[in-house]
Amino acid sequence: MKKTKQLFVGATLTAFGLQTAQADYALNLMQGVTKVSNDIYDLHMLILWICVFIGIAVFGTMFYSIYHHRKSKGHKAANFHENTTVEIIWTIIPTLILIGMAIPATKAMIELDDVQESEMSIKVTGKQWYWDYEYLDSGVHFESHLDAASEKAHRVDSIDPHTVPHYLLNVDNPLVVPVGKKIRFVFTAADVIHSWWVPDLGWKKDANPGFINEAWTQVDKPGVYRGQCTELCGRDHGFMPIVVIAMEQPDYDKWVQTTLAKQNEKPDLSDQSREQLMANGAAVYLKNCVSCHQIDGNGAAGAFPALRGSAKVTAGIDPLIGFLQAGTSRMPSFAKLKDNELAAVITYIRNAPELGNKVGDEIQPKAITPVYDDDDK
Amino acid sequence: MSAVIAEHGHDDHHDDHAHGPEKGWLRWIITTNHKDIGTLYLLFALAMFFVGGAMAMIIRAELFEPGMQFVNPQFFNSMTTMHALVMVFGAVMPAFVGLANWMIPMMIGAPDMALPRMNNMSFWMLVAGVLLLASTLFMEGGAPAGGWTLYPPLVLQTGKALPFAIFSVHLLGISSIMGAINIIATILNMRAPAMTLMKMPLFVWTWLITGFLLIAIMPVFAGAVTMLLTDKFFHTSFFDAAGGGDPVLYQHIFWFFGHPEVYVMILPTFGVASTIIPVFARKPLFGYSSMVYATASIAFLSFIVWAHHMFTVGLPISGELYFMYATMLIAIPTGVKVFNWTATMWKGAMTFETPMLFSIAFVVLFTLGGFTGLMMSVAPVDFQYHDTYFIVAHFHYTLVPASVFILMAAGYYWLPKWTGHMYNEKIGQLHFWLSAISVNVLFFPQHFLGLAGMPRRIPDYAIQFADWNMVSSIGGFIFGVSQLLFLWIVIDTIKGGTGEKVTDEVWEDAHKHGLEWTLPSPPPYHTFTTPPTVIPCDHD
C-alpha cells in the first residue's frame, strides 16, 4: 500500500515537474556537498529549464496544430513550404541560447579541472572488484570491499535485500576525509578500467590501468556519502561501492592515528581453535575469493575454476600456500593476506561444507611458510 | 550488355517469365532483385528485433526487484552487450538497409539497385555475421560481456568467444560497407534523368549521406577490433600500458566510429519522417533544402564530437572544452529539423493514420532524447550523468521511440504498397497507443534513476532504486508484448490484410509526394524499366 501511494505521489510530482525531497525517492540530481557539485547542480537546472521552455514552445505549437489543423475539422491545407525569415530566426536563437549555456559551463569545467593548491592527496586504485585507498601524506593504506551483509545478500537467495542496511552501498572500510580541506585524488587501476563516482561530490573519474588521472574535492559538510563504480569492469561491477565519510579535522586526525596503529599492528599468529579458523576463513573467503570462485565454490564454467572437489585445494597444504602467495597469470597473488588470514582461509576452503570439501585438517598461522615472500608483510 | 538489351526486347513480345522471380525457396537465396533483398533485410531485422528484445526482457526481469533472481552477473553483462550488438547491427541498421533496397529504386525512378549481385552478398554476409555473433552465447566463458563498446582491457577477459565476436564484427562491417557502396552507386548513377539531386526525396538524401558515413567509419571499427585481436593473440600492446600502449586509445578509435554510427541509425529515420509527415499533413515538406543541409551538417559534426562519450576518461581541459562546444553545435541543425517538421504540420489538413501517429510520436520523443543529449553535452554536468541510467534513458529515447518508431511508421506506410493489401488500421492504432505509452513507462523513469545515482550495466541495485526499476520493467514487458501486434499485422497484411484492394497511391494524393505511389500496388518485379519523366516534387 505504501508503495502504491509512493508511486502515486512520485507520478503526480513528476507530472507537475516538481522535485521531491524524499531521500529514498529522488527524481532529480542531488545538489551534493561541495561547491563544485552545487555549481554543477545549478548548471543542470539551468539547462533543464531551458529544455522545458523550448519543449513547451515546440510541443505547444505542434499540439495546437494537431488539434486545429486536422482534416476532420474541415481545415484546408495551406501550401507554403519555405520562409527564409523564420528559418534564420530559428537558427540564430538556438545559437544564442547555446552561447549562453557555454559560458557558465566553461567556468564550471575549469573549476572542476583545477587540482592545484590541494592540501592532501589520496591515491585510489580500482581493482576487480574493490577499491584500494592510499593516503599519500599520512601513509594510511587499506582496501575497501563491499560489506559482508550485502555480499551475502546478493549471493544467497534466501536473504531479502530489503533487510540489509544500505544494500550494495556499504563497505567494510570507508574512505575518511576531513571537511574543509582541498583533497586531490589520483586514480589508477590494476586490471581493467574502473570509474570512481560519489554523486554528492559532483563528479566521477575513470581509473585507467597504467595511467594516472586527477580530480579534487572539498567537502564542507560532515556526513556519509555513497557511490559506486561506474565503468563496467566485469562480473562484479555492480558490487564495488564507495563510501566517503567526511569528518571534522580533530576527528579525522584521531581516525588517522587509530588506523595507522591498527595498520602497523603485528598480526596475532597464536594458535586458534578450529571454529575460529573456520569463522575467520569464511570472512576472508567472502571478501577475497567469492567474486570468482562463488559462494558455493563452483566457480564459473570457462572463466573461474571450481574449488569444490578441486585437487589443488584438497591435496598438499604447502603447494596450496605457494599457489595463493604467488598467484597465476589468471589469479592475482594473495601475498597481501597475513599468515593468520592465509591459515584461516586455507583451513576454510579445505573443510567448508558449503564448498563441499572435507579434508578434515587445519593449519595454524605459525605453520605458514613463506614460499613467496612479500615485502609489505 | 547488348545481349541483355536484345533479350529484354524479345521478352516484351512474349512472356515475362525470364524476368520474374525464381520459383521456390531458391528465389530467396540467389535473388538479386532489390525488392526481394529488401524483404529479406526487413524480415531478418524484424526477427533480430525480437531476439534483441528477448534479451532486453531478461535484463528488465532481473532488474524488476533488488537482489539477484534469474541470471548471474556475468550472463547479465553478456545480455546487455549482446542486446546492444544485436539491436544495432542486427535490427536497426539492416532494417534501414532493407527500406533503402525497397524504396530507393522506386523513389528515384530506377529499375533496380546498381550492384544487384553485391546486394545479395551483403545480405548473406550480414546473416553470417549475426549468426556468428549469436553462436558466442554457447561458447565456453559465455558471450562477450564487456559492453557493446568492447573496451579493453575488460573485453580481453572474454573467454573463447572473443575472436568469434571480432570476426563477426568484420563480417558485419563488410556487409555494411557493401550495402553503402551499393546505395551510393544507385543514387548517383540510377536516377531518372529528370530526378535532379535537389528533387530527391529526403529519404534518398539521408541515405546518400548515411552511405558515406558508413564507408568512412566501418573500416575504423574493423581496425579497432583487429587491434584487440592482435593484443590478445599476437602480443601487441596497442591498448596495454605495460607495453607502451593506452587503453584510452581504443576509446578514441571506437567513438570515432561510434558517434557517426549512431547517426547512421538516425539520419535515415529523419528521412522517413520527412517523407511521411507531409503526406498526412497534405502539405509540402517545409524547408526542403534546409533539411538537406541540416542532415549534411549533422553528418559532418558527427565526425568531430566523438570524445563527448569520454568526458570522464581524463581528457585535458582544452579537449573537454572543445568537445563540449562542438557537441553543443549539433543542437542547431537538429533543432532546424524539428522546427521544419512542426512547420510542415502547421496549417495542414492532418489525418492520423498509424504511420502519421508513429511519426508524430517520433518527433516528440526524439526531441526529448535530444534535450537530454543537449544536457549531457555540457561537460561538467556530464561528470554526473556519465555512465548512469540517465544516459541509458537518453539513447533509448533516440533509438526506440525514434528509429524503431519510424521503422514501424515506415512499415505501416509502405506495407500496402509492397503487398497490395491494406493493414488492419484498428490493430495498427492499438499497437501505436500501447507502444507509445509503454515506451515512456519503460524509459522515462530511467532519467530519475540515473539522476538519483544508479550506474548503468549493473545487475542489482540499492533499495532506493527499486520502485522506478519496477515501473520501468513493467513498461518494458508491456512494450515487448505489444510488438507482437506488429508481427501479427505484418503477417496478416502479407496474407491479404483487410481484403480491401489498395489503389496505386494508397494514401490520399500521395502521388504528389513520391514516385513510388505512381507504381501499381504491389509494384512490378522490375521497378521502372523506362525512366519516368514527370517527377513529383512538392518543393519548387
Side-chain angles (χ1 to χ4, degrees), chain B residues 164-190:
Chain B
F164 296 93
I166 288 173
F167 189 50
S168 93
V169 168
H170 287 150
L171 287 175
L172 295 170
I174 296 169
S175 164
S176 294
I177 291 169
M178 290 196 302
I181 289 174
N182 203 355
I183 288 167
I184 293 171
T186 306
I187 297 172
L188 294 185
N189 295 310
M190 308 274 288

mmCIF file of all heavy atoms in Angstrom, chain B residues 164-190:
data_model
loop_
_atom_site.group_PDB
_atom_site.id
_atom_site.type_symbol
_atom_site.label_atom_id
_atom_site.label_comp_id
_atom_site.label_asym_id
_atom_site.label_seq_id
_atom_site.Cartn_x
_atom_site.Cartn_y
_atom_site.Cartn_z
ATOM 1 N N PHE B 164 35.702 -14.902 -32.194
ATOM 2 C CA PHE B 164 34.482 -15.075 -32.995
ATOM 3 C C PHE B 164 33.692 -13.768 -33.050
ATOM 4 O O PHE B 164 33.176 -13.380 -34.090
ATOM 5 C CB PHE B 164 33.633 -16.213 -32.419
ATOM 6 C CG PHE B 164 34.317 -17.545 -32.488
ATOM 7 C CD1 PHE B 164 35.064 -18.014 -31.422
ATOM 8 C CD2 PHE B 164 34.257 -18.308 -33.645
ATOM 9 C CE1 PHE B 164 35.715 -19.229 -31.501
ATOM 10 C CE2 PHE B 164 34.908 -19.526 -33.736
ATOM 11 C CZ PHE B 164 35.648 -19.988 -32.653
ATOM 12 N N ALA B 165 33.618 -13.099 -31.895
ATOM 13 C CA ALA B 165 32.904 -11.819 -31.870
ATOM 14 C C ALA B 165 33.608 -10.817 -32.777
ATOM 15 O O ALA B 165 32.958 -10.074 -33.529
ATOM 16 C CB ALA B 165 32.827 -11.288 -30.442
ATOM 17 N N ILE B 166 34.939 -10.809 -32.740
ATOM 18 C CA ILE B 166 35.690 -9.854 -33.566
ATOM 19 C C ILE B 166 35.481 -10.166 -35.049
ATOM 20 O O ILE B 166 35.235 -9.264 -35.857
ATOM 21 C CB ILE B 166 37.183 -9.887 -33.179
ATOM 22 C CG1 ILE B 166 37.360 -9.235 -31.811
ATOM 23 C CG2 ILE B 166 38.038 -9.187 -34.240
ATOM 24 C CD1 ILE B 166 38.743 -9.337 -31.236
ATOM 25 N N PHE B 167 35.522 -11.458 -35.391
ATOM 26 C CA PHE B 167 35.319 -11.803 -36.789
ATOM 27 C C PHE B 167 33.903 -11.461 -37.230
ATOM 28 O O PHE B 167 33.676 -11.035 -38.367
ATOM 29 C CB PHE B 167 35.626 -13.287 -37.012
ATOM 30 C CG PHE B 167 35.641 -13.672 -38.466
ATOM 31 C CD1 PHE B 167 36.377 -12.933 -39.385
ATOM 32 C CD2 PHE B 167 34.917 -14.755 -38.926
ATOM 33 C CE1 PHE B 167 36.395 -13.275 -40.729
ATOM 34 C CE2 PHE B 167 34.921 -15.100 -40.269
ATOM 35 C CZ PHE B 167 35.659 -14.362 -41.175
ATOM 36 N N SER B 168 32.961 -11.598 -36.328
ATOM 37 C CA SER B 168 31.594 -11.244 -36.718
ATOM 38 C C SER B 168 31.479 -9.736 -36.955
ATOM 39 O O SER B 168 30.769 -9.299 -37.863
ATOM 40 C CB SER B 168 30.582 -11.748 -35.686
ATOM 41 O OG SER B 168 30.299 -10.764 -34.728
ATOM 42 N N VAL B 169 32.226 -8.945 -36.176
ATOM 43 C CA VAL B 169 32.238 -7.500 -36.435
ATOM 44 C C VAL B 169 32.822 -7.222 -37.823
ATOM 45 O O VAL B 169 32.324 -6.371 -38.569
ATOM 46 C CB VAL B 169 33.032 -6.757 -35.338
ATOM 47 C CG1 VAL B 169 33.303 -5.309 -35.749
ATOM 48 C CG2 VAL B 169 32.281 -6.797 -34.021
ATOM 49 N N HIS B 170 33.867 -7.970 -38.176
ATOM 50 C CA HIS B 170 34.428 -7.802 -39.525
ATOM 51 C C HIS B 170 33.375 -8.087 -40.590
ATOM 52 O O HIS B 170 33.213 -7.322 -41.539
ATOM 53 C CB HIS B 170 35.617 -8.749 -39.726
ATOM 54 C CG HIS B 170 36.845 -8.326 -38.974
ATOM 55 N ND1 HIS B 170 37.778 -9.215 -38.496
ATOM 56 C CD2 HIS B 170 37.287 -7.114 -38.604
ATOM 57 C CE1 HIS B 170 38.742 -8.559 -37.876
ATOM 58 N NE2 HIS B 170 38.465 -7.279 -37.921
ATOM 59 N N LEU B 171 32.665 -9.206 -40.431
ATOM 60 C CA LEU B 171 31.653 -9.567 -41.433
ATOM 61 C C LEU B 171 30.564 -8.508 -41.515
ATOM 62 O O LEU B 171 30.151 -8.094 -42.605
ATOM 63 C CB LEU B 171 31.026 -10.923 -41.084
ATOM 64 C CG LEU B 171 31.901 -12.159 -41.306
ATOM 65 C CD1 LEU B 171 31.177 -13.399 -40.804
ATOM 66 C CD2 LEU B 171 32.226 -12.305 -42.787
ATOM 67 N N LEU B 172 30.096 -8.056 -40.335
ATOM 68 C CA LEU B 172 29.034 -7.047 -40.334
ATOM 69 C C LEU B 172 29.541 -5.770 -40.998
ATOM 70 O O LEU B 172 28.803 -5.092 -41.719
ATOM 71 C CB LEU B 172 28.591 -6.759 -38.896
ATOM 72 C CG LEU B 172 27.937 -7.948 -38.169
ATOM 73 C CD1 LEU B 172 27.766 -7.639 -36.695
ATOM 74 C CD2 LEU B 172 26.603 -8.281 -38.804
ATOM 75 N N GLY B 173 30.798 -5.452 -40.747
ATOM 76 C CA GLY B 173 31.387 -4.252 -41.347
ATOM 77 C C GLY B 173 31.444 -4.367 -42.859
ATOM 78 O O GLY B 173 31.055 -3.445 -43.580
ATOM 79 N N ILE B 174 31.908 -5.527 -43.355
ATOM 80 C CA ILE B 174 31.986 -5.716 -44.809
ATOM 81 C C ILE B 174 30.589 -5.612 -45.412
ATOM 82 O O ILE B 174 30.374 -4.951 -46.434
ATOM 83 C CB ILE B 174 32.619 -7.089 -45.139
ATOM 84 C CG1 ILE B 174 34.073 -7.133 -44.652
ATOM 85 C CG2 ILE B 174 32.572 -7.356 -46.638
ATOM 86 C CD1 ILE B 174 34.689 -8.517 -44.694
ATOM 87 N N SER B 175 29.627 -6.247 -44.742
ATOM 88 C CA SER B 175 28.252 -6.201 -45.233
ATOM 89 C C SER B 175 27.748 -4.758 -45.318
ATOM 90 O O SER B 175 27.177 -4.341 -46.330
ATOM 91 C CB SER B 175 27.365 -7.028 -44.305
ATOM 92 O OG SER B 175 26.015 -6.727 -44.520
ATOM 93 N N SER B 176 27.999 -3.985 -44.242
ATOM 94 C CA SER B 176 27.526 -2.592 -44.241
ATOM 95 C C SER B 176 28.204 -1.782 -45.316
ATOM 96 O O SER B 176 27.565 -0.951 -45.980
ATOM 97 C CB SER B 176 27.828 -1.927 -42.897
ATOM 98 O OG SER B 176 27.097 -2.522 -41.890
ATOM 99 N N ILE B 177 29.512 -1.990 -45.489
ATOM 100 C CA ILE B 177 30.238 -1.206 -46.487
ATOM 101 C C ILE B 177 29.696 -1.526 -47.881
ATOM 102 O O ILE B 177 29.454 -0.617 -48.685
ATOM 103 C CB ILE B 177 31.752 -1.489 -46.412
ATOM 104 C CG1 ILE B 177 32.311 -0.923 -45.101
ATOM 105 C CG2 ILE B 177 32.478 -0.866 -47.597
ATOM 106 C CD1 ILE B 177 33.728 -1.366 -44.810
ATOM 107 N N MET B 178 29.473 -2.820 -48.155
ATOM 108 C CA MET B 178 28.947 -3.178 -49.474
ATOM 109 C C MET B 178 27.555 -2.588 -49.680
ATOM 110 O O MET B 178 27.237 -2.072 -50.748
ATOM 111 C CB MET B 178 28.919 -4.696 -49.635
ATOM 112 C CG MET B 178 30.320 -5.278 -49.754
ATOM 113 S SD MET B 178 30.355 -6.965 -50.399
ATOM 114 C CE MET B 178 29.358 -7.821 -49.244
ATOM 115 N N GLY B 179 26.738 -2.657 -48.632
ATOM 116 C CA GLY B 179 25.404 -2.057 -48.724
ATOM 117 C C GLY B 179 25.496 -0.575 -49.028
ATOM 118 O O GLY B 179 24.778 -0.040 -49.881
ATOM 119 N N ALA B 180 26.432 0.101 -48.333
ATOM 120 C CA ALA B 180 26.568 1.551 -48.507
ATOM 121 C C ALA B 180 27.053 1.890 -49.903
ATOM 122 O O ALA B 180 26.540 2.817 -50.551
ATOM 123 C CB ALA B 180 27.527 2.104 -47.452
ATOM 124 N N ILE B 181 28.044 1.127 -50.397
ATOM 125 C CA ILE B 181 28.556 1.383 -51.747
ATOM 126 C C ILE B 181 27.418 1.226 -52.760
ATOM 127 O O ILE B 181 27.231 2.057 -53.652
ATOM 128 C CB ILE B 181 29.701 0.397 -52.080
ATOM 129 C CG1 ILE B 181 30.937 0.741 -51.252
ATOM 130 C CG2 ILE B 181 30.019 0.426 -53.575
ATOM 131 C CD1 ILE B 181 32.064 -0.263 -51.401
ATOM 132 N N ASN B 182 26.627 0.189 -52.567
ATOM 133 C CA ASN B 182 25.534 -0.073 -53.484
ATOM 134 C C ASN B 182 24.518 1.068 -53.482
ATOM 135 O O ASN B 182 24.058 1.526 -54.530
ATOM 136 C CB ASN B 182 24.864 -1.386 -53.069
ATOM 137 C CG ASN B 182 24.110 -2.026 -54.215
ATOM 138 O OD1 ASN B 182 24.009 -1.459 -55.294
ATOM 139 N ND2 ASN B 182 23.576 -3.211 -53.964
ATOM 140 N N ILE B 183 24.200 1.539 -52.294
ATOM 141 C CA ILE B 183 23.206 2.611 -52.192
ATOM 142 C C ILE B 183 23.737 3.888 -52.835
ATOM 143 O O ILE B 183 23.039 4.563 -53.602
ATOM 144 C CB ILE B 183 22.814 2.813 -50.712
ATOM 145 C CG1 ILE B 183 21.958 1.625 -50.266
ATOM 146 C CG2 ILE B 183 22.077 4.133 -50.529
ATOM 147 C CD1 ILE B 183 21.764 1.542 -48.771
ATOM 148 N N ILE B 184 25.003 4.219 -52.543
ATOM 149 C CA ILE B 184 25.576 5.433 -53.128
ATOM 150 C C ILE B 184 25.611 5.316 -54.653
ATOM 151 O O ILE B 184 25.207 6.237 -55.375
ATOM 152 C CB ILE B 184 26.992 5.688 -52.570
ATOM 153 C CG1 ILE B 184 26.910 6.031 -51.086
ATOM 154 C CG2 ILE B 184 27.676 6.818 -53.335
ATOM 155 C CD1 ILE B 184 28.257 6.084 -50.395
ATOM 156 N N ALA B 185 26.069 4.145 -55.138
ATOM 157 C CA ALA B 185 26.170 3.959 -56.589
ATOM 158 C C ALA B 185 24.787 4.063 -57.235
ATOM 159 O O ALA B 185 24.627 4.671 -58.301
ATOM 160 C CB ALA B 185 26.793 2.604 -56.900
ATOM 161 N N THR B 186 23.793 3.499 -56.563
ATOM 162 C CA THR B 186 22.437 3.568 -57.108
ATOM 163 C C THR B 186 21.951 5.009 -57.184
ATOM 164 O O THR B 186 21.432 5.462 -58.209
ATOM 165 C CB THR B 186 21.476 2.733 -56.237
ATOM 166 O OG1 THR B 186 21.999 1.420 -56.114
ATOM 167 C CG2 THR B 186 20.093 2.685 -56.850
ATOM 168 N N ILE B 187 22.137 5.738 -56.091
ATOM 169 C CA ILE B 187 21.605 7.099 -56.046
ATOM 170 C C ILE B 187 22.335 7.995 -57.053
ATOM 171 O O ILE B 187 21.726 8.806 -57.738
ATOM 172 C CB ILE B 187 21.716 7.685 -54.626
ATOM 173 C CG1 ILE B 187 20.859 6.868 -53.651
ATOM 174 C CG2 ILE B 187 21.295 9.148 -54.604
ATOM 175 C CD1 ILE B 187 21.049 7.244 -52.194
ATOM 176 N N LEU B 188 23.651 7.819 -57.162
ATOM 177 C CA LEU B 188 24.393 8.728 -58.040
ATOM 178 C C LEU B 188 24.259 8.353 -59.513
ATOM 179 O O LEU B 188 24.396 9.210 -60.379
ATOM 180 C CB LEU B 188 25.867 8.772 -57.628
ATOM 181 C CG LEU B 188 26.120 9.402 -56.243
ATOM 182 C CD1 LEU B 188 27.613 9.505 -55.977
ATOM 183 C CD2 LEU B 188 25.472 10.782 -56.128
ATOM 184 N N ASN B 189 23.990 7.067 -59.820
ATOM 185 C CA ASN B 189 24.001 6.646 -61.224
ATOM 186 C C ASN B 189 22.656 6.278 -61.802
ATOM 187 O O ASN B 189 22.516 6.237 -63.023
ATOM 188 C CB ASN B 189 24.929 5.434 -61.396
ATOM 189 C CG ASN B 189 26.364 5.796 -61.115
ATOM 190 O OD1 ASN B 189 26.863 6.779 -61.648
ATOM 191 N ND2 ASN B 189 27.014 5.029 -60.274
ATOM 192 N N MET B 190 21.697 5.945 -60.989
ATOM 193 C CA MET B 190 20.499 5.292 -61.500
ATOM 194 C C MET B 190 19.267 6.189 -61.471
ATOM 195 O O MET B 190 18.155 5.713 -61.714
ATOM 196 C CB MET B 190 20.206 4.019 -60.703
ATOM 197 C CG MET B 190 21.376 3.079 -60.586
ATOM 198 S SD MET B 190 21.498 1.957 -61.972
ATOM 199 C CE MET B 190 20.135 0.871 -61.651
#
